Amino acid sequence: MRPAVWKIVRVLLISACLGVAQLSAWFLSPASAQVPRIQGQGTAASGQGNAFAAQADDPSALHYNPAGMTQLRGVQMMAGGLLTGGTTSFTSTSGANATGTRDGSLAWPAPVHVFITANLGDLGATALNGLTLGIGLTSPFGSVSRYQDNGPQRFKATFSAMPLIDIKPTMAYQLTQDVSLGLGMDIYTFSDMLGEGHFEKQFISTGAVPVFGSAGQRAELYGKGTAVGYNVSLLYTALRNGDGKPIANIGLVYRNQVGLPLNGGILANGVKTSDASTTFVLPQVISGAVAIWPTRTAEREWKLELDVDYVGWKSVRNLDIALANGTVIPQPQNWRSTYTVMLGTEYKWLKLESLPEWELALRAGYTNSPTQIPDLTFDPAIPGSDVHIPSVGLGLVCKEGGTVLGLRCGDFGVGPIKPKAIGFDLSYQLSVYEQRTVSCGCALASAVNGNYRTTYHTGGLSLRMNF
């Protein structure tokens, strides 16, 4: 690799690592996660209902389909986050009412995504032509919820948070013109820099289990740990147009099941009563995607995509709590596996007449995801009902010769490191959960039985740079 190019790459990699650390500390805290599986890990994809695994043509490919990284030229970076708010309204069978929030009107700090990719062939490493490396950080799983301490759910949950992060070193290789393969690691962990830096769940003790304190005391279960998983992926271009651009792609991604140990303790009114541990199973996810471009010219592109995710939630059978004295507190879950369907479209103007150095993209999509939680183990901390998520998005790319507020886009940067393009992506998602009536016939049924109505609003912003 040429010395000048290597210097640029080295600076970018150092900047990316610092950016990951700073963004992690700023964005990710116990108030930052959403429902058990956060799908929006790139704003361009979020605007298309997360139907992106067969397109995968920006740095968020590192999450949606790492094999797609081979489509990215040079060095590219993306960073952004999601702002989400909304409520869960609950009416118990006795007529009592309660409202759950994202620990306030807006979950803050917000979930973040950071990605950097480097196409080694484009950077002068001819012996490694076809190989692209990447690293990313996302907020893949988690739940945050807060209810009143005197509400009907108080014996089940008053606060819950799981600020888990996923560090993703990844590589992709272009095997042939039409076939690319991806391989990556998923390092799931917590950090003391991120708020409390651990999973926690708070509730009011009934006094039935001594380790949680006497009746009326605030109980808390907390823990953290690290686990490593992997993902493999494929991107296949089935058809190309006369210019050699893909007009039909197929994407496949597999993410393995991982057992995440949570080691911590139990507090009663802030006083530790015991060490405790449990294991949360992060499910395997199998994704299949098909994208077609009815229009793809030098001036315009129109894409349609369908993605289907199989999520193996059935592996979450229990969250049994093991105490230091050898006692085990049963916590059955018996979740069921689900299929999530995502539809998305993007219409892109590559050469605007009035702004020839700009690109404009309009996006829309829809996601349908059924609940994985049965009535018997329902937890009000998680909005467990079928959800419909329509979404819209907007993308703008300013190329090297374009201007923003009188400044040339190619002049941003430091020293010799100048971007060839700067992109901005915005998205909005409306999550409408179907009304759910829970009748579990379980212990503490009075704390969970009733009607639930949940609506969330989520806005996303990403900034990306191509070097």
Side-chain angles (χ1 to χ4, degrees):
M1 188 180 298
R2 296 189 298 270
V5 173
W6 170 243
K7 181 179 179 181
I8 293 174
V9 174
R10 184 170 55 188
V11 172
L12 286 171
L13 289 172
I14 293 172
S15 299
C17 292
L18 292 174
V20 166
Q22 292 170 350
L23 283 168
S24 299
W26 177 250
F27 281 110
L28 292 169
S29 80
S32 70
Q34 296 183 346
V35 291
R37 181 169 173 253
I38 301 177
Q39 293 173 288
Q41 302 294 352
T43 308
S46 296
Q48 301 177 62
N50 294 303
F52 196 68
Q55 180 179 352
D57 59 358
D58 71 24
S60 69
L62 202 149
H63 167 77
Y64 289 96
N65 185 348
M69 294 193 312
T70 60
Q71 303 176 98
L72 308 181
R73 304 268 61 92
V75 174
Q76 300 196 21
M77 300 176 64
M78 171 185 281
L82 301 172
L83 296 177
T84 182
T87 60
T88 297
S89 299
F90 170 67
T91 303
S92 72
T93 53
S94 65
N97 295 310
T99 299
T101 69
R102 285 303 192 206
D103 198 23
S105 58
L106 190 68
W108 183 260
V112 68
H113 51 265
V114 181
F115 305 107
I116 179 170
T117 65
N119 188 309
L120 301 187
D122 289 349
L123 298 176
T126 55
L128 300 174
N129 192 40
L131 181 64
T132 301
L133 301 181
I135 188 167
L137 181 144
T138 66
S139 310
F141 294 90
S143 175
V144 61
S145 177
R146 185 177 290 281
Y147 285 93
Q148 302 97 315
D149 287 353
N150 60 353
Q153 290 105 334
R154 64 189 182 277
F155 300 123
K156 192 74 173 178
T158 56
F159 179 78
S160 178
M162 188 172 181
L164 185 68
I165 63 173
D166 180 6
I167 303 169
K168 305 172 72 69
T170 306
M171 65 174 63
Y173 183 72
Q174 187 171 8
L175 191 63
T176 70
Q177 181 185 14
D178 296 326
V179 177
S180 292
L181 304 175
L183 177 64
M185 294 175 61
D186 291 286
I187 305 171
Y188 302 104
T189 191
F190 299 86
S191 170
D192 291 337
M193 293 188 299
L194 313 179
E196 295 294 331
H198 56 228
F199 159 81
E200 62 178 300
K201 183 176 182 180
Q202 300 174 10
F203 54 95
I204 303 301
S205 174
T206 63
V209 182
V211 74
F212 293 134
S214 58
Q217 289 190 318
R218 182 190 298 275
E220 177 180 329
L221 172 68
Y222 67 91
K224 63 180 179 180
T226 298
V228 179
Y230 67 89
N231 59 80
V232 293
S233 55
L234 175 144
L235 184 66
Y236 170 59
T237 299
L239 291 173
R240 296 181 182 271
N241 62 14
D243 296 325
K245 294 182 177 181
I247 56 173
N249 276 358
I250 297 172
L252 297 173
V253 184
Y254 174 76
R255 300 174 178 88
N256 77 311
Q257 175 181 309
V258 179
L260 176 67
L262 297 173
N263 299 305
I266 294 174
L267 305 178
N269 271 7
V271 178
K272 188 173 182 179
T273 58
S274 176
D275 291 329
S277 63
T278 188
T279 298
F280 178 66
V281 177
L282 306 178
Q284 69 170 344
V285 181
I286 304 172
S287 303
V290 177
I292 60 171
W293 283 261
T295 300
R296 195 159 201 184
T297 67
E299 292 78 27
R300 297 184 181 186
E301 295 182 353
W302 175 31
K303 185 213 75 165
L304 299 168
E305 182 164 341
L306 167 66
D307 291 19
V308 178
D309 284 0
Y310 166 80
V311 187
W313 288 119
K314 67 179 181 180
S315 58
V316 183
R317 297 182 178 90
N318 68 73
L319 287 171
D320 293 351
I321 303 168
L323 304 182
N325 62 7
T327 301
V328 174
I329 302 174
Q331 297 285 316
Q333 300 299 312
N334 296 318
W335 288 4
R336 51 183 174 242
S337 298
T338 61
Y339 288 90
T340 296
V341 178
M342 295 154 283
L343 298 168
T345 186
E346 176 184 66
Y347 198 94
K348 188 182 294 185
W349 289 265
L350 302 177
K351 294 182 179 180
L352 297 173
E353 291 185 9
S354 57
L355 295 169
E357 300 300 330
W358 283 77
E359 295 179 4
L360 169 65
L362 298 180
R363 304 172 178 123
Y366 168 77
T367 299
N368 175 264
S369 184
T371 182
Q372 76 276 28
I373 306 173
D375 277 10
L376 188 61
T377 59
F378 185 86
D379 189 327
I382 302 172
S385 61
D386 299 350
V387 61
H388 305 269
I389 310 175
S391 59
V392 293
L394 168 70
L396 291 168
V397 175
C398 180
K399 301 174 186 176
E400 196 170 4
T403 59
V404 176
L405 301 175
L407 299 175
R408 289 172 56 88
C409 293
D411 291 338
F412 290 94
V414 179
I417 305 174
K418 303 291 186 182
K420 296 178 181 178
I422 299 175
F424 308 87
D425 296 300
L426 298 169
S427 67
Y428 168 73
Q429 295 175 301
L430 173 64
S431 301
V432 180
Y433 290 79
E434 295 182 8
Q435 178 178 319
R436 179 166 182 178
T437 300
V438 175
S439 180
C440 72
C442 55
L444 296 179
S446 61
V448 297
N449 284 356
N451 295 322
Y452 293 81
R453 300 177 181 86
T454 301
T455 302
Y456 291 133
H457 304 269
T458 303
L461 169 65
S462 293
L463 169 67
R464 47 196 168 99
M465 293 187 179
N466 302 349
F467 293 89

